[in-house]
Amino acid sequence: MKVIGVVKIGGAIGNALEPLMEELASRTTTEHWVLVHGASGVTDELCRVCNVEPRYVTSPSGYRSRYVGEVERAIFEAASYSFSAHCATLLAMKGTPAVPLRPDVAGTAFAKRKESLRVVSEGRQMILRGNYSGTVTRVDPKLILKLLGKGCIPILPPLAMDEAGEFSLDVDGDRLGAAVAGALGSQVLVILSNVPGLLRDPSDPDSLIAEATLDDWDDLESCAEGNMKRKLLACKEALDAGVPRVILADSRLSRPLSAALSGGGTHIWRTRPSMTQTG
């Protein structure tokens, strides 16, 4: 039986996209993979073109996120679909069919809107309203599984429909990847970004945490800073949903997926693996 895996690649500047597309194309003959992507870099670039200043906020618990108003929502949606199309084009050029899934058409991902954000600014807490981001509540895997059965790679942007089905919401790509992996019963979720994995000291690449389980969670959380806090949250959500292993790894390698699956990056297991599971 083919492996069902979910790989999420970050959308920030510094991620390497083409090596992953090359690997996905070569793996589809023996494995099933779903691609989830971010869109932060493309969105920021499109904001500059539209003369809109990107606005990032930090929650009281230390999570950094994008504030998405009416104008920003339109920009984020356009950027996300553009990135999906680019990924599909790269895969098609390598002879691999890929299908970008719009949440308003495919009905794959749904989210609860966070209309108000509690944020910290200059040491004070405040409420920002009119926000169009959300938290994924449900993933319907039927269409994804159908496409996998036809030999296609489904591509999911960081978007989900609101619960009423009226408009799309900006959702975190890492947490969407976790929800997709859980809904599919995936054997592994690989989260690729422009860092080697989870580091004990973010300034020291040699401080990489190579392996851990849910039993080590307090230690892992104490090491996560900035955007890594949300990636680690996504890891826990995937593991809690039944995914056996999540890998935080580097997208900038010549074969990022192979490097991750063969032991690179940070491997977090639901339970300590046996020797036969680690290959």
Side-chain angles (χ1 to χ4, degrees):
M1 181 178 177
K2 290 186 176 182
V3 172
I4 294 182
V6 176
V7 58
K8 187 270 179 176
I9 186 163
I13 294 172
N15 282 285
L17 186 61
E18 293 205 20
L20 175 61
M21 299 301 105
E22 185 76 39
E23 271 204 281
L24 286 175
S26 67
R27 285 178 172 271
T28 52
T29 57
T30 57
E31 301 169 353
H32 286 316
W33 283 91
V34 177
L35 174 63
V36 180
H37 65 78
S40 58
V42 181
T43 300
D44 287 346
E45 182 178 339
L46 189 54
C47 279
R48 286 189 288 271
V49 171
C50 298
N51 200 29
V52 174
E53 184 67 28
R55 187 173 183 182
Y56 290 92
V57 296
T58 302
S59 72
S61 54
Y63 289 99
R64 185 172 180 265
S65 61
R66 182 190 299 271
Y67 172 78
V68 184
E70 282 277 9
V71 173
E72 292 88 349
R73 181 169 71 93
I75 292 173
F76 188 85
E77 189 174 67
S80 296
Y81 292 148
S82 173
F83 198 99
S84 286
H86 181 52
C87 291
T89 299
L90 290 175
L91 288 166
M93 291 172 62
K94 302 178 190 307
T96 301
V99 180
L101 297 179
R102 291 177 57 117
D104 56 340
V105 176
T108 48
F110 299 86
K112 181 178 181 180
R113 181 185 176 189
K114 295 184 289 185
E115 192 275 338
S116 300
L117 296 179
R118 186 179 297 276
V119 304
V120 176
S121 178
E122 297 181 351
R124 299 177 60 185
Q125 290 193 24
M126 58 184 294
I127 301 292
L128 291 180
R129 303 191 186 280
N131 180 60
Y132 283 90
S133 67
T135 301
V136 176
T137 55
R138 179 170 62 93
V139 169
D140 185 339
K142 291 193 294 292
L143 180 56
I144 298 173
L145 290 169
K146 183 177 180 179
L147 291 171
L148 290 173
K150 292 180 178 293
C152 299
I153 296 180
I155 302 174
L156 281 77
L159 296 165
M161 290 303 295
D162 77 297
E163 292 175 320
E166 296 178 358
F167 45 75
S168 61
L169 298 168
D170 163 15
V171 296
D172 179 72
D174 298 316
R175 298 179 72 184
L176 174 61
V180 171
L184 291 172
S186 298
Q187 296 179 24
V188 64
L189 167 64
V190 181
I191 299 177
L192 297 174
S193 64
N194 53 4
V195 295
L198 180 60
L199 306 175
R200 290 195 177 279
D201 178 357
S203 64
D204 180 9
D206 292 331
S207 67
L208 177 73
I209 299 174
E211 190 172 66
T213 71
L214 281 173
D215 292 337
D216 307 310
W217 201 255
D218 289 343
D219 181 41
L220 295 175
E221 279 193 315
S222 70
C223 299
E225 298 181 6
N227 290 335
M228 187 56 71
K229 290 174 66 69
R230 198 175 300 277
K231 294 184 184 301
L232 195 60
L233 176 61
C235 292
K236 189 173 191 305
E237 290 175 345
L239 296 169
D240 287 343
V243 179
R245 175 173 54 153
V246 181
I247 308 172
L248 297 167
D250 200 329
S251 74
R252 302 166 296 179
L253 307 178
S254 59
R255 293 179 59 81
L257 198 51
S258 296
L261 293 171
S262 62
T266 299
H267 292 234
I268 308 176
W269 300 81
R270 292 185 71 225
T271 57
R272 187 68 61 184
S274 66
M275 293 301 292
T276 57
Q277 290 178 290
T278 56

